[in-house]
Amino acid sequence: MRIAFLTIGSFDKFASGKRSLGMGEALARMGHEVYILSLDCLENRRRLEEEASHCRCRFYNSGNALQEAVSKIGIIREVCPDLVYSNSYCVRNLAGLRIFLPKCALVLEFNELYSAYGRHRFLW
């Protein structure tokens, strides 16, 4: 199976990216073809090399949410994965942009969604 993990930002600032490293490496060692789409920065390059050496890394440049989403859609269309795993729910990780993806399964995690509204009880 070909799997693409979507991350945002630098791994030292977003815990969701670290999950991609652990799950991706384990799946790659089991024989799956794993891609990790990551922000192009020194921290991410270092961590991917050290912690996910069996995964294929694809990098996108920093930009606003729409620019990053467009970059990720382009990479996904090149890779043609069977499964896209987005470990944080946001526009940068294609939330609401399913229509632009090739035919594949999509998993969106909502695990950190409510923590963003900790101080904003009305919105939560």
Side-chain angles (χ1 to χ4, degrees):
M1 178 180 275
R2 186 177 292 171
I3 304 165
F5 284 91
L6 303 180
T7 67
I8 59 171
S10 177
F11 293 147
D12 62 346
K13 294 188 172 115
F14 291 95
S16 59
K18 295 174 193 174
R19 286 193 300 278
S20 293
L21 297 175
M23 289 190 296
E25 181 66 6
L27 289 166
R29 286 177 179 250
M30 291 171 51
H32 298 284
E33 188 175 350
V34 177
Y35 291 83
I36 298 178
L37 282 64
S38 174
L39 177 68
D40 193 3
C41 67
L42 291 174
E43 172 69 14
N44 289 0
R45 285 184 177 270
R46 181 185 67 78
R47 297 284 293 268
L48 283 160
E49 187 177 317
E50 290 176 4
E51 299 176 34
S53 60
H54 293 87
C55 297
R56 297 177 183 185
C57 307
R58 297 296 304 266
F59 296 99
Y60 60 88
N61 294 318
S62 180
N64 64 39
L66 185 58
Q67 290 168 327
E68 288 185 17
V70 168
S71 295
K72 289 175 184 178
I73 289 169
I75 294 169
I76 289 169
R77 286 184 175 173
E78 285 177 31
V79 171
C80 291
D82 302 307
L83 172 71
V84 174
Y85 190 101
S86 176
N87 52 27
S88 59
Y89 184 80
C90 62
V91 171
R92 291 178 195 270
N93 270 355
L94 312 180
L97 301 176
R98 174 76 173 104
I99 190 169
F100 299 109
L101 297 178
K103 185 174 177 145
C104 61
L106 176 64
V107 175
L108 290 170
E109 273 191 33
F110 290 91
N111 63 335
E112 296 175 5
L113 184 61
Y114 296 118
S115 66
Y117 298 115
R119 293 187 195 150
H120 306 286
R121 286 290 197 201
F122 177 75
L123 293 174
W124 185 66

